[in-house]
């Protein structure tokens, strides 16, 4: 499992899709999920104010479908997915012993301001900017030591995706007997 985390505006979704495209081109079986969508329900379910239980239930259900098809690799993008307190959810949803590769995408305040200003055309810009700065500090302070940090400032999506993919070793010839799954 490849977890791609980072503050709002850092490029998680864009890099995730670029990685997926490169894996498709290399005929490497995989699935990709944007974790933010798994908990998008309002109001929050009773007893689940942070929507973590609904996120886990949806992840378990979707991964169950992918796993039944034979998939063994998952690209998962979500702001705080790289934090250690997320690991138990992934182990419950994907099964014990899942190998987790954590990548934290980083960007300066200036870069994220530029990206979020272009992306947020509604009323959420100020909230997104404040949340992005807060999450950046949280991620810097609490990401585990094995988290690979990848700067995204002034780089192409292709370069960033190549660096992240190199960490996974998923593009190496598959010798696991599962046909790249």
């Amino acid at each position: 499992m490849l977890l791609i985390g980072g503050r709002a505006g850092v490029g998680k979704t864009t890099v995730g899709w670029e990685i997926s495209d490169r894996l498709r081109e290399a005929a490497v079986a995989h699935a990709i999920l944007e974790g933010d969508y798994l908990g998008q329900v309002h109001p929050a379910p009773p007893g689940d104010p942070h929507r973590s239980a609904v996120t886990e239930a949806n992840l378990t259900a979707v991964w169950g479908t992918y796993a039944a098809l034979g998939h063994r690799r998952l690209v998962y993008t979500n702001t705080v997915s790289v934090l250690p307190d997320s690991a138990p959810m992934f182990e419950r949803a994907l099964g014990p012993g899942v190998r987790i590769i954590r990548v934290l995408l980083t960007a300066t305040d200036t870069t994220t301001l530029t990206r979020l200003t272009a992306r947020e055309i509604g009323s959420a810009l100020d909230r997104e900017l404040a949340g992005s700065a807060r999450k950046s500090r949280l991620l810097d302070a609490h990401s585990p030591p094995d988290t690979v940090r990848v700067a995204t400032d002034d780089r192409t999506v292709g370069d960033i995706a190549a660096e992240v993919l190199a960490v996974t070793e998923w593009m190496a010839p598959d010798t696991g007997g599962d046909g790249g799954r």
Side-chain angles (χ1 to χ4, degrees):
M1 166 173 228
L2 170 61
L3 301 178
I4 301 174
R7 67 190 294 181
V10 79
K12 298 176 298 291
T13 301
T14 303
V15 170
W17 282 108
E18 178 69 17
I19 287 169
S20 179
D21 184 62
R22 288 170 181 240
L23 292 171
R24 270 193 313 275
E25 289 294 313
V28 175
H30 69 285
I32 181 169
L33 283 173
E34 171 54 68
D36 288 343
Y37 297 143
L38 296 177
Q40 290 298 318
V41 59
H42 182 80
D48 189 16
H50 301 291
R51 297 161 179 85
S52 55
V54 73
T55 297
E56 182 174 334
N58 287 333
L59 176 59
T60 301
V62 172
W63 179 251
T65 300
Y66 294 155
L69 294 171
H71 292 283
R72 300 292 174 257
R73 293 180 179 98
L74 175 63
V75 177
Y76 187 91
T77 62
N78 174 266
T79 303
V80 296
S81 62
V82 299
L83 294 179
D85 57 349
S86 297
M89 177 187 78
F90 295 123
E91 290 182 1
R92 288 188 301 267
L94 276 70
V98 63
R99 187 180 90 138
I100 297 175
I101 302 163
R102 292 177 177 86
V103 173
L104 177 61
L105 300 183
T106 65
T108 63
D109 290 341
T110 302
T111 296
T112 56
L113 173 63
T114 301
R115 291 175 182 168
L116 289 174
T117 301
R119 181 179 90 188
E120 299 298 330
I121 58 173
S123 59
L125 178 60
D126 289 339
R127 195 170 45 252
E128 285 292 314
L129 288 170
S132 179
R134 187 178 70 256
K135 296 284 176 66
S136 178
R137 290 188 300 273
L138 173 76
L139 290 161
D140 283 342
H142 298 289
S143 293
D146 67 342
T147 304
V148 176
R149 294 169 187 263
V150 176
T152 65
D153 300 285
D154 301 317
R155 297 182 65 197
T156 68
V157 174
D159 287 345
I160 298 163
E163 184 175 342
V164 173
L165 268 171
V167 173
T168 68
E169 300 179 354
W170 290 353
M171 299 291 277
D174 185 23
T175 57
D178 65 357
R181 294 182 176 183

